Amino acid sequence: MEPIFTPEQLAEIKAYYLPHYIRSAVNPFVSLGVLALLLWVLNRPFYQGAQALASRLGQRFAFLRTAPVSRVLLRALDRLWGEPGWGAALLFALFLDVFSKVLYAPSDVYFDYVLEHRHGMSAYTPLTYAWDTLKSWGLSAVAAVTLVLGLYGLARRLPRWWLVLGVPVAGLMLVSSALDPYRSQVYFEQTPLEAGPLRTRIGELMARADIAFADVLVEKTSVASKRVQAYFAGQGPTRTIVLNDVLLKEFTEEEVLAAVAHEAGHVNEPKWAGRIAAALCLIALLFLIDRLLRRSATRGWFGTTRFADIRTLPLLSVLFFFLMLTAKPVSAAFSREREREADRYALRLTGDPATFRRMLVKAARVNKMDPEPPRWVILKGMSHPPVSERIAAVFAP
């Protein structure tokens, strides 16, 4: 049977992944070092700098306190925060966020741009890469501001803030997947798949699977990457089948259908139990944060003078770091099993193992998948089984 890679291709893949594996091994220690730096070295100067800048900006833009529209917003922020200082808190959070982004920028540029170009996986120009990076930084800054106002603002005002915040956010988590078709459009243009044999055959395949969908879209990711990709986005009336333009260029119609059949295998997975568990875990996490903030205020950690002092923000990052470090291997193990079941579903749906194998082999070649990654890499958090395992399972009894 046709091998997945030639020796030359395999050598290039190993050279491509070696830096990634090195980064994966050292990254937890680097992250801990950065968090320690933010907590015990930069916390005070960043906080003092944020206070000074907030004071200057408050004087410079004092007229906004009396302007018809802005005064309403500023008064609302004052009431939410409960005392002066929300401006310094927002700036402190932005200082932390920007510092981390700038610190990791050289590594990000190397792995996301230089290494990708070196191995022919990226179509980014310097300008488009910079633009997408700025968009990512902007979304991160919005998230930081939202965290400060939502979490710290409510914590300062309400005794059971973790419940007041956790219940509606948990509810939003249960339905947020309906918004999935619109999130990726921040980065890539999407257009409907033109009418023709492929669109008709996808509709027939989904009819056999008894899966309703709103549309089939082509995502133009070739402006950034040369990888193939297909996925389902949304739920119910927003469910959309998304195929990237690289997939349509590299795969035959039969191979595209095999990829869609695999993604269809994820549609009927039991999701509600996991979503409910995630929502409950969120509420438990917020309660844990409440306990941590109260302990910080009692002990005066990092110069804190009251409950929900913004100077504890890096401490929350430490908490998230350890939670993710322990949770990711577990969630990845479940994810790998779901991928295996989606492969089995696709084989039952299409009844064409030869085409499904060709699809996996071609995806492995185009995306430069390591057929046999180190075991520790798999256990640490790979969401898919190694492609060699998936290919071997196609004709397994």
Side-chain angles (χ1 to χ4, degrees):
M1 191 172 288
E2 178 188 19
I4 305 175
F5 300 110
T6 66
E8 293 77 14
Q9 290 172 329
L10 186 58
E12 183 189 1
I13 285 173
K14 293 298 183 182
Y16 170 66
Y17 276 99
L18 180 59
H20 288 281
Y21 295 155
I22 294 173
R23 179 171 72 163
S24 181
V26 304
N27 191 59
F29 304 101
V30 173
S31 298
L32 271 179
V34 172
L35 290 172
L37 181 67
L38 292 174
L39 272 173
W40 286 292
V41 179
L42 298 176
N43 195 305
R44 176 175 294 181
F46 276 6
Y47 183 68
Q48 292 173 344
Q51 286 183 311
L53 181 56
S55 177
R56 288 196 294 271
L57 291 176
Q59 295 173 6
R60 176 67 179 82
F61 297 100
F63 65 92
L64 294 177
R65 288 281 178 183
T66 57
V69 177
S70 58
R71 68 181 180 185
V72 176
L73 174 62
L74 295 176
R75 287 174 182 172
L77 291 173
D78 290 340
R79 288 177 61 85
L80 175 62
W81 202 251
E83 63 182 14
W86 58 264
L90 294 182
L91 288 172
F92 179 74
L94 292 175
F95 284 178
L96 296 176
D97 186 62
V98 172
F99 174 80
S100 298
K101 293 291 189 302
V102 172
L103 189 65
Y104 285 110
S107 172
D108 293 339
V109 170
Y110 173 75
F111 283 98
D112 298 339
Y113 186 84
V114 176
L115 191 64
E116 294 291 295
H117 273 275
R118 182 179 299 166
H119 291 275
M121 298 303 295
S122 176
Y124 268 127
T125 65
L127 184 61
T128 55
Y129 176 76
W131 175 236
D132 274 1
T133 300
L134 287 175
K135 283 191 286 187
S136 176
W137 284 26
L139 291 174
S140 178
V142 170
V145 169
T146 303
L147 173 66
V148 170
L149 293 178
L151 193 154
Y152 280 85
L154 285 178
R156 298 163 71 91
R157 297 286 293 173
L158 302 172
R160 296 187 181 274
W161 66 271
W162 53 272
L163 200 57
V164 174
L165 178 63
V167 170
V169 172
L172 288 174
M173 287 174 60
L174 296 177
V175 299
S176 64
S177 58
L179 301 177
D180 286 345
Y182 313 107
R183 293 171 180 167
S184 59
Q185 295 180 30
V186 174
Y187 294 97
F188 301 114
E189 179 186 357
Q190 293 181 349
T191 58
L193 177 66
E194 62 183 15
L198 178 58
R199 190 178 183 100
T200 300
R201 295 179 69 181
I202 290 174
E204 293 170 349
L205 184 71
M206 293 300 97
R208 292 205 305 273
D210 193 25
I211 295 175
F213 63 97
D215 204 354
V216 183
L217 299 179
V218 179
E219 190 170 69
K220 299 181 180 180
T221 64
S222 60
V223 298
S225 172
K226 297 183 180 180
R227 289 178 171 81
V228 296
Q229 185 180 30
Y231 61 94
F232 279 51
Q235 295 290 324
T238 69
R239 181 179 294 125
T240 305
I241 302 171
V242 183
L243 313 172
N244 77 342
D245 52 350
V246 184
L247 181 83
L248 297 179
K249 177 183 176 182
E250 298 289 343
F251 282 20
T252 65
E253 281 192 10
E254 288 74 16
E255 291 163 351
V256 172
L257 290 173
V260 172
H262 168 84
E263 298 304 325
H266 293 300
V267 171
N268 294 319
E269 291 172 350
K271 298 182 176 67
W272 282 107
R275 290 174 182 171
I276 292 173
L280 293 176
C281 286
L282 171 67
I283 296 175
L285 173 61
L286 291 175
F287 177 75
L288 179 60
I289 291 174
D290 178 78
R291 299 296 98 183
L292 190 62
L293 294 179
R294 294 188 186 281
R295 176 62 63 88
S296 300
T298 303
R299 300 293 180 86
W301 292 346
F302 318 114
T304 55
T305 57
R306 59 155 294 167
F307 174 68
D309 191 303
I310 193 62
R311 283 171 284 187
T312 58
L313 184 58
L315 192 60
L316 302 192
S317 299
V318 175
L319 175 63
F320 295 149
F321 169 81
F322 282 107
L323 287 176
M324 292 301 298
L325 191 67
T326 54
K328 189 174 181 180
V330 177
S331 64
F334 283 106
S335 175
R336 290 193 296 273
E337 185 53 42
R338 289 194 296 268
E339 295 298 332
R340 296 185 186 101
E341 181 54 39
D343 283 350
R344 293 189 285 266
Y345 176 91
L347 290 169
R348 293 193 300 269
L349 180 62
T350 62
D352 189 355
T355 297
F356 192 78
R357 184 186 188 278
R358 287 199 307 273
M359 182 273 294
L360 288 176
V361 170
K362 187 172 289 187
R365 291 174 178 172
V366 175
N367 289 358
K368 287 186 168 61
M369 300 177 186
D370 188 349
E372 295 182 353
R375 186 64 181 168
W376 68 267
V377 172
I378 299 172
L379 296 177
K380 185 173 181 285
M382 276 186 61
S383 61
H384 288 61
V387 69
S388 59
E389 175 190 320
R390 296 177 65 189
I391 291 172
V394 171
F395 291 105

